[in-house]
Amino acid sequence: MHKIGILTSGGDCQGLNAAIRGICKALYKEFGGDNLEIVGFLNGYKGLIKKEYKILKPLDFFEIIGLGGTILGTSRLPFKKLKDIEDDQIDKVETMKKSYREMGLECLLVLGGNGTQKTANFLSNEGLNIISLPKTIDNDIWSTDMTFGFHSAVNAATLFIDNIYTTAKSHGRIFIVEIMGHKVGWLTLYAGIAGGADIILIPEIPYNAESILKCIENNRKEGKNFSIIAMAEGASSNLILNQDNNQGKKKSVSYELAIELSKFTTQEIKVAIPGHYQRGGSPCPYDRILATEFGAAAAELVKQKAYGKMVSLKNGKISSTDLNEIAGKLKAVPYECDMIKNARNVGICFGDCD
Ligand code: F6P
């Protein structure tokens, strides 16, 4: 009997259910229903700690390819607190290892973002058989060209900018649209270009207010009475990448920028924040396909007993990378990439020139 665990951890995103379905369908095809038990742990690593799970049967995963969220539930377990013994007096690492062993798991499949991958790597180094899948709307996981969830979030953020566009134009306002993405600017870059933003501000390129104001002024001179600024939640006038700061606890960067700009212009400035709307709803076809392919590839690794790896997409091919190589790294937008160069060539301002 193959007993395989699966969990989703960290912030949810579109495509998690499609990936669960892909994994389960491929495992059923490989091992057959009579020889397989898929243990779906509830609410991330917490389900493994508390041994809270449900056995996934075909009816659980047949109709979920287009369903948003995760049928297993999720939670955050910050890596830096992994080894801390907190008020509940539970040793999280030892308890997870104990659950894994007591339940007789052959391996554990973990779907998650950067923090989840770090924990996955840690558990792998502690002797558990781990295979992971890269999910996040931030697209910031090292060694994969794409994570599932990203393109659905790009769609959502672009639609949001589209709607802001018409009202900004009617009123002749400056709009700052604050987009998620944690410490990197991928989501803002894609949605900003797709939504026709005039100015794109990302953490990888520190901005200065003067450059932004100049772009707004140029718009006015050219007869465009409104300006759209797509601003990543992690953007700053200082380079903040890789610092151990918690963006979530910071004041909204877009309101800070609005206050700064308002000192130099009389044009009305509004802030619009789509927030978790960007992570909700159905996955787009691209994410459904990528998640399905990642799911099938993860099942293949299970079959090969190739543990300690994350499935990935490299130059259009589904591949895998050692977790040791990924953990702790961040895939930021390269300053000199073609996308930024092309965006500059069509007149988009990144807030860094005068
Ligand atoms: O990592 C995904 C993400 O949506 C980030 O873009 C964002 O900074 C963060 O999660 C929000 O986290 P939470 O859902 O815990 O508020």
Side-chain angles (χ1 to χ4, degrees):
M1 170 67 76
H2 297 274
K3 197 167 179 187
I4 292 155
I6 177 168
L7 61 83
T8 56
S9 169
D12 73 341
C13 72
Q14 307 90 333
L16 278 166
N17 290 326
I20 293 170
R21 173 182 173 272
I23 293 166
C24 294
K25 288 195 87 165
L27 288 175
Y28 262 74
K29 182 142 193 296
E30 180 59 34
F31 299 123
D34 294 339
N35 204 20
L36 173 69
E37 191 166 73
I38 304 177
V39 182
F41 289 101
L42 304 179
N43 306 317
Y45 288 112
K46 286 184 184 159
L48 181 60
I49 293 170
K50 296 182 184 165
K51 277 199 189 162
E52 288 174 353
Y53 60 87
K54 66 176 174 191
I55 303 300
L56 294 178
K57 295 281 183 194
L59 277 182
D60 294 312
F61 57 79
F62 262 12
E63 293 172 8
I64 59 171
I65 192 163
L67 190 66
T70 160
I71 57 164
L72 294 175
T74 188
S75 64
R76 293 194 185 277
L77 176 60
F79 182 73
K80 46 183 171 198
K81 289 197 175 161
L82 189 64
K83 286 176 257 172
D84 296 355
I85 309 288
E86 295 177 79
D87 293 347
D88 57 13
Q89 299 302 312
I90 292 174
D91 182 329
K92 296 183 267 298
V93 175
E94 285 312 314
T95 313
M96 283 195 271
K97 285 161 65 178
K98 196 162 165 254
S99 301
Y100 178 97
R101 299 234 151 84
E102 281 178 358
M103 292 179 70
L105 296 179
E106 178 175 318
C107 65
L108 177 67
L109 273 63
V110 173
L111 286 63
N114 265 324
T116 301
Q117 303 297 337
K118 270 200 225 173
T119 302
N121 181 50
F122 183 83
L123 293 177
S124 169
N125 291 334
E126 289 284 305
L128 307 197
N129 297 332
I130 305 283
I131 293 165
S132 72
L133 287 83
K135 70 89 225 189
T136 167
I137 66 164
D138 304 335
N139 194 29
D140 60 351
I141 301 182
W142 189 259
S143 99
T144 185
D145 296 342
M146 200 48 71
T147 57
F148 60 84
F150 175 69
H151 272 290
S152 305
V154 171
N155 288 355
T158 303
L159 283 178
F160 190 88
I161 297 175
D162 283 351
N163 285 0
I164 292 300
Y165 208 94
T166 57
T167 176
K169 188 173 176 181
S170 306
H171 288 264
R173 288 169 168 161
I174 299 167
F175 258 91
I176 306 172
V177 180
E178 185 176 309
I179 294 173
M180 277 186 171
H182 201 219
K183 293 180 184 172
V184 302
W186 292 108
L187 187 53
T188 307
L189 180 62
Y190 273 64
I193 294 173
D198 304 287
I199 298 156
I200 294 178
L201 305 176
I202 59 175
E204 292 85 345
I205 305 179
Y207 68 80
N208 63 75
E210 214 178 307
S211 157
I212 296 169
L213 288 160
K214 197 163 178 191
C215 175
I216 292 168
E217 188 50 36
N218 283 344
N219 275 349
R220 267 209 300 265
K221 278 188 195 148
E222 287 170 6
K224 192 178 173 206
N225 70 338
F226 68 102
S227 293
I228 304 285
I229 305 174
M231 182 174 200
E233 62 180 351
S236 166
S237 46
N238 301 305
L239 195 60
I240 51 163
L241 276 177
N242 295 328
Q243 279 181 16
D244 197 18
N245 57 354
N246 186 344
Q247 294 297 314
K249 301 264 158 46
K250 274 184 73 178
K251 267 191 289 174
S252 158
V253 289
S254 48
Y255 281 100
E256 279 178 17
L257 178 64
I259 291 167
E260 200 179 344
L261 296 181
S262 66
K263 291 178 193 154
F264 305 99
T265 177
T266 50
Q267 195 173 357
E268 206 178 351
I269 305 172
K270 294 276 177 183
V271 167
I273 305 180
H276 291 78
Y277 164 80
Q278 295 162 99
R279 266 178 22 199
S282 286
C284 66
Y286 179 93
D287 281 336
R288 296 180 195 197
I289 295 166
L290 184 65
T292 302
E293 289 196 288
F294 277 165
E300 183 61 28
L301 294 179
V302 173
K303 180 181 148 197
Q304 294 169 3
K305 299 189 186 302
Y307 306 125
K309 290 181 185 296
M310 183 190 82
V311 296
S312 52
L313 181 75
K314 288 178 190 158
N315 301 319
K317 285 209 166 309
I318 303 291
S319 170
S320 65
T321 314
D322 285 347
L323 275 167
N324 273 325
E325 264 183 55
I326 298 162
K329 292 189 192 148
L330 192 69
K331 187 186 71 182
V333 178
Y335 185 77
E336 301 286 354
C337 70
D338 283 355
M339 220 172 163
I340 290 186
K341 199 176 89 198
N342 294 330
R344 288 191 199 275
N345 286 346
V346 296
I348 294 174
C349 164
F350 283 85
D352 60 337
C353 39
D354 43 41

